[in-house]
Amino acid sequence: MTDDKPTPAANEARSLNFIEQIVEEDIRSGKHKARVHTRFPPEPNGYLHIGHAKAFCLDFGIAEKYGGLCNLRFDDTNPITEDTSYVDSIRKDIHWMGFDWGNREYYASDYFDQLYDLAVQLIKKGKAFVCQLTADEVNASRGTDFEPDKPSPYRDRPVEENLQLFERMKNGEFPNDSMTLRAKIDLSSPNMHMRDPILYRIRHAHHHRTGDKWCIYPMYDWAHGQSDSIEGITHSLCTLEFVPHRPLYEWFIRELEIFPSRQIEFARLNLSYTIMSKRKLLQLVKEEHVKGWDDPRMPTIHGLRRRGYTPESIRQFADMVGIAKRENVIDVALLEYCIREDLNKRAPRVMGVLNPVKLIIDNYPEGKTEYLDTVNNPEDPEAGTRSLPFSRELWIEREDFMEDPPKKFFRLSPGNEVRLKSAYIVKAESVEKDADGIITAIHCTYDPQSLSGSDEAKRKVKGTLHWVSAAHALDAEVRLYDRLFNDPDPDGHKGHNFKEFLNPDSLTILNHCKVEPSLGEASELDHFQFIRLGCFNLDPDSSVGHLVFNRTVGLKDTWAKMKQ
RNA sequence: UGUCCUGUGGUGUAACUGGCAACACGUCUGACUCUGGAUCAGAAGAGUCCAGGUUCGAGCCCUGGCAGGACAACCA
């Protein structure tokens, strides 16, 4: 066994995304002494969503894979939109996802002093100046693609004067927006970011961490790259919209002669039938199209958690979508696949009836209750068994009975037999209806010899139904969710607002569901598989005596597919 | 119009860096099943945006097009 060609499997295990390839090359060449250090830099001005999850799974994942570190760094350079409450939620979300940053929780605001000093350094080099143009005037001075910007009249202010003015800016001697510090680079650059970008602006605003110490705040380009350098970040991973910023990122490194972090960009996640813009998600919350950031229909981490998604399923998803530079739209079906697969292995099976109709077993003794054993999870022998109360009157799913069934209907219909899961085989005999012709009860008979597990129970019947004993059932509210938008790309239609595509049926509330009594002991957010129906979890809205379940995702339903 | 990024089955990602395109989701069969779930077996589906070129040989290299996206905030 010397010259085996690599098997496809081995090959695949070796296949790396383009960022891993870069990292491995750097390690091989001994760059930064083969050290790998990444960071996840959220701005604390909103909640994290699944797109961020893709990003921080990458940041933390790369560090983990190559024995490096990943910092959490809040990019808090804009006090008027940022808030400490967001810091808490972001921290919580990342922890919940299973990542840890040790004591390396940093803030761009931690570096305001150093950033200020670096700015002074840049001024001294003659590479930055204090500009007194108003925002409108700056915009008016902007050129076009082929026409350079008009130089600011303050562009050639002497270094000494710049130094003094910048210090006075810092000292709060000037009102908001009256001055900026701008880099002096290249007014005719085809890259607009190089046309004397603004580094600092004046904002007399209270900052959630630095309080009132500062009234000048650095812009993204100035703060982000330098923060990377200060932390010794080797690979600074960000999304594609920052590609044009990279020349500026590198210009600062060169001019300041600071640690050369490398910025690498990848394509952000897009999910079909949803939106990912923080601003637009905020709009959905504010305009009450959803009930909050943690509404189970939201693509936020908060929303997914409440919906019943597990950290493992989301990490699996992040892994499966891959990393590349081309625009992409991931099918939500992949996300659903990930949670089904995870919960299939872990979620205990229980019985719950969403749209109940009474099933009366005419030949079963009145007042009798049997306790029948049933397995908690066929995928997990360790999960054990529990007992279920069974009696003469049961609830079954209204959909599971048809008076006049089509040929492939494997459920209950007059004269036909069906297995009640973990119980007996029953045969439908007759129905009761109300004045409107709606079935109010189904009468059946059971075969006492057919109890699950008994020798006589080997008889095959075409279908198996879930059920709940009427006398023992608990009432429950069940919330069914459908996609929030009924268009695959709600934000992608020119001339149409994304809200036009909101799905009016994204939430269906069922109020009179019946669930097995064991569910009375469920805890908040516990996961279950309601047999034959889907994955559900207990919503925090539940209270003693009022159970509320969310449907995380339905089971694959080939019958539903056949009906179409 | 300028600069930059990107074009591989329906979707996403690969192709050990020149050797006739693989994996996953989705779709469709069939088997099995006390969940029409799961599991198992299998199938269909791209000749890699287009046109030239280099080469024995190109998705990978070169040239020229075309298409999509990003940028032009005192946001990040």
Side-chain angles (χ1 to χ4, degrees):
Chain A
M1 290 304 187
T2 43
D3 64 345
D4 272 358
K5 278 167 75 176
T7 64
N11 222 348
E12 222 209 321
R14 208 181 303 143
S15 121
L16 306 171
N17 66 50
F18 80 99
I19 292 178
E20 292 168 326
Q21 286 176 20
I22 292 171
V23 171
E24 293 201 359
E25 278 164 27
D26 288 346
I27 291 174
R28 224 175 294 130
S29 70
K31 188 173 178 184
H32 305 311
K33 295 178 180 154
R35 186 173 59 84
V36 174
H37 205 331
T38 59
R39 102 272 89 114
F40 176 61
E43 184 189 11
N45 70 344
Y47 287 76
L48 259 27
H49 55 60
I50 187 150
H52 297 110
K54 169 184 176 177
F56 66 71
C57 285
L58 208 220
D59 292 326
F60 282 95
I62 289 277
E64 195 176 315
K65 179 167 182 177
Y66 296 105
L69 296 170
C70 179
N71 297 349
L72 173 60
R73 180 172 74 232
F74 289 96
D75 227 331
D76 55 349
T77 57
N78 187 2
I80 58 181
T81 58
E82 294 156 5
D83 188 83
T84 177
S85 69
Y86 292 117
V87 169
D88 295 337
S89 81
I90 289 169
R91 215 195 263 128
K92 181 180 165 191
D93 282 346
I94 303 172
H95 264 147
W96 177 75
M97 283 285 294
F99 295 107
D100 186 61
W101 51 93
N103 60 353
R104 297 180 318 284
E105 178 170 316
Y106 301 128
Y107 294 79
S109 55
D110 294 342
Y111 311 133
F112 281 176
D113 283 293
Q114 293 167 79
L115 258 19
Y116 180 83
D117 292 342
L118 287 171
V120 169
Q121 193 181 318
L122 206 58
I123 293 171
K124 285 179 177 165
K125 278 190 83 174
K127 298 294 178 118
F129 64 97
V130 172
C131 180
Q132 288 169 73
L133 253 26
T134 65
D136 286 344
E137 286 167 337
V138 170
N139 288 334
S141 76
R142 292 291 183 204
T144 60
D145 304 324
F146 40 89
E147 206 181 317
D149 287 16
K150 284 193 269 301
S152 163
Y154 310 98
R155 195 166 197 259
D156 294 313
R157 205 196 284 276
V159 168
E160 205 45 47
E161 196 180 320
N162 281 321
L163 252 15
Q164 280 171 20
L165 281 173
F166 187 48
E167 183 169 0
R168 293 176 62 198
M169 275 172 69
K170 182 195 71 173
N171 292 340
E173 293 185 31
F174 307 112
N176 284 346
D177 304 332
S178 57
M179 290 180 184
T180 57
L181 183 74
R182 297 174 69 180
K184 193 199 281 190
I185 309 182
D186 179 5
L187 291 173
S188 58
S189 170
N191 183 340
M192 296 295 174
H193 297 276
M194 301 299 274
R195 323 246 275 216
D196 290 5
I198 290 168
L199 270 30
Y200 275 95
R201 73 286 216 195
I202 299 175
R203 288 266 185 288
H204 291 271
H206 188 83
H207 186 280
H208 72 111
R209 288 186 58 92
T210 59
D212 297 315
K213 177 176 177 188
W214 295 90
C215 63
I216 56 172
Y217 290 94
M219 298 287 290
Y220 167 84
D221 286 302
W222 180 247
H224 194 94
Q226 281 53 262
S227 299
D228 283 345
S229 276
I230 289 167
E231 294 178 12
I233 299 303
T234 56
H235 304 268
S236 178
L237 315 179
C238 63
T239 46
L240 250 28
E241 64 267 35
F242 295 103
V243 169
H245 295 245
R246 190 177 351 115
L248 183 53
Y249 186 97
E250 290 168 351
W251 187 85
F252 287 138
I253 288 173
R254 252 181 286 118
E255 294 298 330
L256 267 13
E257 298 177 57
I258 52 179
F259 179 83
S261 302
R262 174 170 174 191
Q263 173 179 304
I264 303 169
E265 314 83 9
F266 61 93
R268 69 185 327 145
L269 171 73
N270 296 295
L271 247 197
S272 63
Y273 295 97
T274 191
I275 56 170
M276 221 58 97
S277 148
K278 250 198 244 183
R279 209 191 87 244
K280 285 169 181 159
L281 291 173
L282 174 64
Q283 207 179 332
L284 291 179
V285 173
K286 285 214 165 132
E287 296 173 8
E288 300 185 344
H289 294 108
V290 296
K291 289 176 184 165
W293 284 102
D294 68 342
D295 187 297
R297 292 166 291 182
M298 291 282 273
T300 52
I301 311 268
H302 271 54
L304 290 167
R305 178 197 307 143
R306 185 164 177 183
R307 174 75 170 258
Y309 276 82
T310 59
E312 292 81 1
S313 68
I314 298 172
R315 288 176 68 159
Q316 169 72 5
F317 174 74
D319 203 50
M320 289 181 77
V321 298
I323 300 293
K325 296 187 80 159
R326 80 180 80 122
E327 294 288 328
N328 61 81
V329 182
I330 309 294
D331 193 336
V332 279
L334 184 63
L335 220 208
E336 294 176 347
Y337 164 81
C338 290
I339 187 59
R340 277 197 194 101
E341 190 180 63
D342 188 32
L343 257 20
N344 177 52
K345 287 178 290 193
R346 312 158 57 179
R349 272 56 169 177
V350 294
M351 300 235 241
V353 177
L354 266 31
N355 294 298
V357 64
K358 192 67 79 66
L359 180 73
I360 302 169
I361 308 170
D362 290 330
N363 61 337
Y364 193 88
E366 288 196 50
K368 178 178 176 181
T369 298
E370 279 183 89
Y371 286 86
L372 309 177
D373 279 345
T374 188
V375 66
N376 285 327
N377 185 349
E379 304 294 320
D380 178 13
E382 307 278 287
T385 61
R386 71 184 184 289
S387 67
L388 286 169
F390 182 87
S391 61
R392 187 170 188 267
E393 296 197 3
L394 310 172
W395 295 111
I396 64 166
E397 212 67 62
R398 191 169 279 278
E399 269 201 348
D400 284 341
F401 177 82
M402 281 185 93
E403 279 192 283
D404 188 18
K407 26 250 125 254
K408 293 266 216 165
F409 189 76
F410 296 164
R411 307 179 184 185
L412 199 57
S413 58
N416 269 321
E417 286 192 322
V418 85
R419 160 74 64 185
L420 295 175
K421 172 76 181 168
S422 298
Y424 299 95
I425 292 173
V426 294
K427 184 204 282 187
E429 306 287 357
S430 63
V431 297
E432 291 177 35
K433 294 181 181 178
D434 66 12
D436 299 322
I438 307 290
I439 294 173
T440 52
I442 300 159
H443 287 267
C444 68
T445 53
Y446 85 118
D447 173 358
Q449 306 299 307
S450 64
L451 182 60
S452 292
S454 68
D455 286 342
E456 267 98 328
K458 298 279 155 61
R459 200 160 96 241
K460 302 284 182 206
V461 287
K462 54 187 174 184
T464 301
L465 306 188
H466 60 278
W467 52 272
V468 170
S469 168
H472 308 270
L474 266 24
D475 278 308
E477 173 184 333
V478 171
R479 298 173 182 169
L480 304 179
Y481 303 102
D482 197 354
R483 32 199 60 155
L484 228 201
F485 296 92
N486 44 31
D487 184 278
D489 186 13
D491 209 11
H493 300 274
K494 292 201 171 99
H496 291 275
N497 188 288
F498 70 101
K499 288 184 289 182
E500 293 174 38
F501 303 102
L502 276 165
N503 176 6
D505 302 316
S506 60
L507 170 63
T508 305
I509 297 178
L510 302 175
N511 274 306
H512 304 288
C513 307
K514 305 290 183 183
V515 301
E516 66 169 74
S518 73
L519 255 10
E521 283 149 45
S523 307
E524 223 171 74
L525 263 25
D526 277 355
H527 305 281
F528 300 95
Q529 184 194 112
F530 285 16
I531 283 186
R532 298 212 303 137
L533 296 176
C535 301
F536 293 75
N537 75 341
L538 190 70
D539 190 86
D541 281 350
S542 299
S543 57
V544 181
H546 182 65
L547 295 170
V548 180
F549 290 95
N550 299 306
R551 184 173 65 189
T552 306
V553 65
L555 253 27
K556 274 197 188 163
D557 190 345
T558 52
W559 170 243
K561 206 169 279 174
M562 285 168 70
K563 283 195 293 186
Q564 289 172 6

